[in-house]
Structures are given as C-alpha cells and as structure tokens.
Amino acid sequence: MRTLPLLFLLLLQTTLSAQNQLPVLSNVQISINGTLLTLTYDLADAENDPVTISFRAGAAGSASFSFDTGNAAGDLGTGILPGNGKQVQWDYSAWASSLPAIRLMLVADDLQPVDIHALVDLADSTRLLSDLQQLQGVRHRTAGAAHLAETKDLIMSNFEEHGLEVWEQAFPYGNYTGTNLLGQKAGMATEDSTILVGAHFDSVSGSPGADDNASGVAGTLEVLRLLSAYSFEKTVRFVGFDLEEVGLKGSQRYVQEGLLPDETVAGYLNLEMIGYYREAPFSQQLPAGFNLLYPELYNELVAEQFKGDFAINIGEAVKSVPLMNSFENAAATYVPELKVKSLAAPAAWQTLTPDLGRSDHSPFWVAGWPALMISDGADMRNPLYHTPADTAGTLNYTFMTNIAKSAAATIATLAGVRHADTWCEVVELPTTAGENVPACQVQLSPNPASNSLRLDWSDCPAASAPLFFSLTDMQGRQVLRKQLPATERSLQLGLERVAPGTYLARLGNWQQQVLVTR
C-alpha cells in the first residue's frame, strides 16, 4: 500500500526534473569610469548548462536598442557558464556627449523550447479571486479617489515585482492628473514591434466595478504572472488605462502621445469585462440589427438558446482580423474548454456599429493599429453593469482564468516566447562641465516636497521623442519615471509611492536635487 505514494512521488520528481529551468540573471550592477561602462552580473542555470549572453544599448525614450555594441567585451556570446561576478565592458564614448541617460539590455538564453501548454496551465483562479477582492470598490477620481490610488499602487507593484521596465504617462484632465500605467518586457530581436495587453482600472462613481473593469485588470495581472518569467522576440507591454469611463481619455492620450516614435503596434488585447458567465437560456442579449450584420453568428446563438457562456472576440475588418484569428486559434489549441465567438467590426464601424468601439481598443483602431476587445458582452449580458451590485461574488473565475490563459497563449505565440531571462534598465550617465548646459528651464515646487510636486518645463524646446521626468535616489536607483504630455508644459505629480529622502530629479539634461518629506 505504501508503494503507490512513493511511486507517485518518483514520477513527479522525474517529470519536474525533465523540465528545463530558465536561466536567471541577478545582482546586475553598473559602474562608469569616464566613458567605460562596466556591467557586472550573476548567472544561474539549474542544469548548469552553457548559456548565450547578448548585450544591447539604445537611447532612453526610444523603443530601439540601436547603438553599436560591437566593441563590448567580457562574458558575452555563446558558451557562458553559470557563475557570479560576470562582467561586460563597453566604451560608449560615441554617444557620451549627447545623452543624459542610456537604456541597456542583457539577455541570457539557453536556447531551449518553451511549452506553451505548460505555461498557461499554471494559471490560478484563486489568484484572480484574490485580486478581484482587492480591486473591487469605487475607483473614481472624485467619488473613490483613495481606492483609485490604491488600485494604481497594486498594478504598479505587480509590474515592479515581476521585473518589468515601468513608467507612467501623466496627462491633465480638469483638476485631476490622469495616469496610464505601463510595464514591459523589451523584445530580444524586434524590440520596436510591440504587443500589448491591458485594461482600464477606473470605475463609474456609483459602482464597485467588479466586472467593469476589475475583471480585466485581474486578467491582465494573471497574464503578467504567466509570462513574466520568459522573454520574447518582440516587446510585450502591460498597460492600465485611466479615465476610460469618461470617454476613453487615457487610451486616447496613450495612442496620441504615449507610443514611441520608432515603434509599431503589432496588436493590443483589451480585456474589457471578462467575468460574467451564464449558462441560462436567453442570458445573452444582442444590439438591434445584429442579425442583419452577422447572420451566421446570430444563427449560432439561436441554436444555442442565447446562452451567455462564451467570450466575445471583437476586431475590426481592416487591420485586426489576423489578430482576432490568432486569439481564436490560441484558445482552441491551448484552452479548448473556452468557447469563443469572434466578429469583425466593419470598416465604417464608427457609423454602423459604434457599440463595438466602446472601450480602449477603439483609439487603436482609429490610429490604424490592430486591436481586440475580449469581453463578456458588458450590458448585453451583465444586468449589474454600472450598478452597486457589480461585485466579486457575481463573477465566474474559471471563465476569467480561461480568458487569461488564452490571452497569454496568444501573446506567447505572436511575440515569440523564448526560454530566456532579460535584464533591462535606463542608466543615468554622468555629465561633464562642458555638457551640463540645460536644454530646458525647469521649475519644481515645492522643494522640499510632500505628497506632490509641481513640475513646470515651459521653456523646453519641442522634442522629437517623448520627454521623461525621473527621480533617482542617492544609490543611483530610479524610483519614479513619468512620460510627460507633449501638449502641456506643467503638471502636478503625485509622490505617494516615493519614500522620504533626497533624490536627483532629471528632465533631459536638466537636473536638480529634491527633498521628499512626509
């Protein structure tokens, strides 16, 4: 009788040992002497296999690692054995006089295949439930400002915990400063081609917004957990959009000003209300005229008695059909238990089917980028939409988990998942007396600061790339990085997530110390 548990443990141990573990980069340190940059790192590999190490560099605020690093030397290339204190040295003198900061990437790739089935099977519905319970509650700029701030902190802390490059895109909206939250894994090969997944995190003033749209935020965080250990050929960016409920303000500003000049959008997966699931007949409603525009899908729903037991996968007919097909195929391959209904909005969707553009995917459509809305149908299925009864207890977490798994499989396939670890960071460069000429006349007030800081940059010349404001602590760690709006010249910045202390504030070549107190 005792041999069965022992046999099970042996089989489990054999299965686990057969799964090749990812290489791990850690303890990455940067030192600069003149224009010689030394990068020191530790490399681990569970199987102690040789690893391929690559090193890339580019301008801060650019999507591309376009600098020539061919003169870099050290523990680079193929056959690098695991160990501590590895070093790469690079002379960056060709760019030293023109940049206040530089963006570096280090990649450790053991060239092993990735099992996407195994990847998505790690999804956990209990984590989604836990996230929903934390996220639900009014997340409105006036009616729920405190919980809105907590929600932003939860999203950003998850981005940081999972090793993403993070920044915020700030923009004014009346007396409120809107904030889009961004975290990414930079692509190993075609880093200027970006695949995005995300959701809006605000709610209307009278609803705890569990389905709308804490469900989409929780789904995004689960996709993050599934993918964050891996690296990708293309850049994968996780986004949280602000002010969707007042007319898609956050996503509109992002598409207009947040994309970098040299990047293209390979696709955006917008998770918009993904938790409401019903198997009861006639639980799925349809907008007027649906039967005329989509007769085949309408007949399917008639045959299925209009049950609300499927995910809706909406693209648009001009640019998004391949992306729409990719999601449908990924769900069929890796999550066959999820039923998906796909439909393409017509080219004239703004006139013919405006309801299909009621979320943050539509600014991407307007700009000509492929994007999807993955949804449960909003008020066409969920009668609690925008009401006080939209709570965590009304949602189906198996359904949500299956959508998150399908989104993760879609991204892993399209972005080119790699069995690799990537370190990426913006490094502030030292300046010399001859270079310390400010490109901008910048003012900070008050200084010392408490919970907020007013930033004025009215004399800055027009920039060809987005402007970034950063705070760096006295150990050289960047604690805040905000992308500033291109059409404004002043902004109120929240410092709630910055610990008390002395920091170096930088914007372009301008810098100044600022004291943050509490």
Side-chain angles (χ1 to χ4, degrees):
M1 293 296 291
R2 294 180 181 178
T3 58
L4 289 176
L6 178 60
L7 178 60
F8 173 77
L9 290 173
L10 289 173
L11 288 172
L12 178 62
Q13 184 177 23
T14 301
T15 301
L16 292 175
S17 64
Q19 296 176 359
N20 195 286
Q21 303 299 301
L22 286 157
V24 177
L25 293 166
S26 63
N27 195 29
V28 181
Q29 304 290 329
I30 301 291
S31 63
I32 297 175
N33 183 8
T35 60
L36 183 65
L37 183 148
T38 300
L39 185 153
T40 305
Y41 68 94
D42 296 342
L43 173 65
D45 185 82
E47 294 77 26
N48 210 38
D49 292 333
V51 173
T52 297
I53 301 291
S54 56
F55 171 71
R56 306 180 72 191
S62 169
S64 300
F65 293 93
S66 57
F67 293 173
D68 183 358
T69 57
N71 62 339
D75 295 301
L76 284 170
T78 60
I80 305 300
L81 293 173
N84 296 335
K86 306 287 183 179
Q87 281 197 345
V88 175
Q89 290 191 320
W90 177 51
D91 182 354
Y92 66 91
S93 55
W95 299 276
S97 63
S98 60
L99 293 173
I102 201 165
R103 186 163 166 252
L104 305 177
M105 172 187 272
L106 191 68
V107 178
D109 192 346
D110 65 4
L111 307 180
Q112 296 294 319
V114 176
D115 184 344
I116 297 178
H117 272 111
L119 184 157
V120 302
D121 283 347
L122 294 175
D124 186 348
S125 60
T126 60
R127 289 190 301 220
L128 284 162
L129 173 59
S130 176
D131 285 339
L132 244 298
Q133 290 170 335
Q134 293 181 73
L135 289 164
Q136 73 171 345
V138 177
R139 303 177 300 279
H140 186 270
R141 66 192 184 282
T142 58
H147 189 49
L148 181 62
E150 292 170 351
T151 297
K152 293 177 184 179
D153 285 346
L154 174 65
I155 295 169
M156 287 297 281
S157 63
N158 271 272
F159 286 179
E160 292 165 351
E161 177 188 342
H162 289 90
L164 304 184
E165 291 182 275
V166 298
W167 70 97
E168 301 175 5
Q169 182 195 14
F171 58 95
Y173 182 75
N175 295 325
Y176 172 74
T177 296
T179 307
N180 292 328
L181 310 177
L182 304 122
Q184 73 175 22
K185 300 275 287 188
M188 295 167 51
T190 53
E191 70 281 354
D192 54 352
S193 179
T194 305
I195 296 177
L196 304 99
V197 60
H200 76 89
F201 52 78
D202 61 317
S203 76
V204 296
S205 60
S207 175
D211 195 22
D212 187 19
N213 187 33
S215 65
V217 175
T220 300
L221 295 180
E222 189 63 14
V223 174
L224 167 64
R225 295 182 188 108
L226 295 175
L227 297 181
S228 62
Y230 297 90
S231 297
F232 305 87
E233 296 286 342
K234 296 177 181 177
T235 292
V236 175
R237 187 171 300 155
F238 301 86
V239 298
F241 286 130
D242 204 352
L243 295 177
E244 188 266 0
E245 296 289 3
V246 294
L248 319 181
K249 300 301 183 185
S251 54
Q252 287 174 351
R253 290 297 286 255
Y254 177 75
V255 171
Q256 292 165 3
E257 300 178 358
L259 295 170
L260 301 177
D262 50 349
E263 78 173 314
T264 60
V265 175
Y268 172 48
L269 275 63
N270 180 39
L271 305 185
E272 173 61 57
M273 301 183 63
I274 61 168
Y276 202 81
Y277 175 96
R278 291 295 181 270
E279 294 180 343
F282 306 103
S283 53
Q284 180 68 54
Q285 306 300 313
L286 297 174
F290 186 92
N291 58 321
L292 301 176
L293 284 171
Y294 303 102
E296 185 176 342
L297 181 53
Y298 179 81
N299 289 332
E300 280 185 25
L301 295 173
V302 169
E304 296 169 2
Q305 297 183 293
F306 295 98
K307 295 177 181 178
D309 61 352
F310 56 91
I312 304 171
N313 171 30
I314 301 174
E316 52 80 42
V318 178
K319 293 286 183 68
S320 302
V321 170
L323 182 63
M324 188 173 66
N325 293 339
S326 293
F327 180 84
E328 186 171 338
N329 292 337
T333 302
Y334 300 105
V335 198
E337 58 271 33
L338 178 67
K339 188 188 298 184
V340 176
K341 305 288 189 186
S342 300
L343 60 93
W349 62 270
Q350 289 169 290
T351 302
L352 296 175
T353 57
D355 276 357
L356 299 184
R358 284 170 48 192
S359 188
D360 290 319
H361 57 292
S362 63
F364 290 84
W365 287 0
V366 172
W369 300 117
L372 303 180
M373 178 171 70
I374 313 300
S375 178
D376 58 22
D379 53 333
M380 291 290 101
R381 182 184 301 175
N382 189 342
L384 310 177
Y385 173 78
H386 283 190
T387 74
D390 181 11
T391 60
T394 65
L395 304 184
N396 184 301
Y397 295 91
T398 299
F399 180 59
M400 285 175 58
T401 302
N402 287 337
I403 290 177
K405 290 166 68 173
S406 300
T410 303
I411 294 166
T413 302
L414 293 180
V417 65
R418 296 288 295 271
H419 203 266
D421 191 20
T422 304
W423 170 89
C424 191
E425 191 167 303
V426 173
V427 176
E428 309 283 352
L429 298 180
T431 58
T432 66
E435 296 159 4
N436 198 22
V437 179
C440 300
Q441 296 298 318
V442 182
Q443 292 185 334
L444 294 177
S445 61
N447 189 7
S450 179
N451 290 323
S452 66
L453 186 67
R454 181 177 176 82
L455 175 67
D456 293 279
W457 65 100
S458 57
D459 293 330
C460 283
S464 59
L467 283 171
F468 285 87
F469 173 80
S470 67
L471 289 180
T472 304
D473 68 17
M474 294 300 101
Q475 287 72 48
R477 294 185 294 266
Q478 195 171 85
V479 299
L480 181 145
R481 180 172 169 82
K482 285 187 181 283
Q483 182 178 330
L484 303 180
T487 56
E488 308 293 330
R489 286 296 179 266
S490 66
L491 200 66
Q492 196 79 14
L493 302 176
L495 301 180
E496 295 85 355
R497 303 181 69 248
V498 177
T502 301
Y503 298 90
L504 183 66
R506 299 188 73 160
L507 196 165
N509 287 332
W510 172 90
Q511 59 185 29
Q512 177 183 317
Q513 280 196 352
V514 59
L515 177 64
V516 177
T517 63
R518 290 286 188 269

